[in-house]
Amino acid sequence: MRIAVTGTPGVGKTTLSRLAAQHYGWERADVRELAQAHSLVVAYDEADEADVVDVEALAAVLAAERASDHVEVLDGHLSHLLPVDVVWVVRCDPRVLEGRLRERGYSEAKVRENLEAEAVDLVLQEAQGAGVPVVQRDSTRRSPEELLSAFVDAEGKPRNTTDLEPVDWSDWLLE
Ligand code: DAT
């Protein structure tokens, strides 16, 4: 089973996926590193302050080497655009996310853009277009361990049926 761990930058994807790999022995790959390994970082977007990955080409590479009997976690905010069996969307209250993005040294515009994306469920909406089950969990008041527990079932198997924990940060947009 291949799992996309996606969400706005800073929500806790890497923390969660590293913990999952450590705790359950699942394989973990970072989408940006995968793209680099396959020479599929094609540009740097100055306005977006981010690498541009050839997602279609990376999807083709990954489709050819489809994970089967083991669990593989793809960590990255583009992972829901890759061939996966389920998408896990990690969410975080914009009020908490703001401090994390500022700590990363993002520009004011990039901080604002990401916080707005989080508040309007942008990644969830994209993930729902992927045509596979989507599991959403709010990381805001959960430790990484609690968050991982919320993404697995009682037997410690990765959740792979649609289950969206509701979040609503529309009040943040109006502040
Ligand atoms: P991402 O991979 O989504 O960009 P990250 O895993 O690098 O996010 O985490 C960003 C920061 O937030 C980092 O300083 C660790 C912290 N963090 C991650 N998950 C957390 C959680 N569940 N509770 C509190 N802090 C968390």
Side-chain angles (χ1 to χ4, degrees), residues 123-134:
V123 175
L124 172 65
Q125 284 173 35
E126 278 186 26
Q128 286 176 317
V132 297
V134 178

Side-chain angles (χ1 to χ4, degrees), residues 114-129:
N114 280 300
L115 296 180
E116 282 175 4
E118 183 60 16
V120 303
D121 309 322
L122 188 71
V123 175
L124 172 65
Q125 284 173 35
E126 278 186 26
Q128 286 176 317

Side-chain angles (χ1 to χ4, degrees), residues 5-18 28 30 75-77 90-92 96-97 100-101 103-104 106 138-148:
V5 174
T6 192
T8 308
V11 292
K13 299 179 293 295
T14 300
T15 305
L16 173 71
S17 59
R18 286 206 174 125
R28 173 188 170 275
D30 179 278
D75 168 11
H77 69 284
V90 181
R91 304 300 301 272
C92 183
V96 172
L97 194 54
R100 296 186 190 171
L101 297 181
E103 237 170 61
R104 287 187 176 179
Y106 284 4
D138 182 3
S139 72
T140 312
R141 271 166 288 278
R142 287 184 169 117
S143 67
E145 290 77 12
E146 287 166 341
L147 184 63
L148 178 58

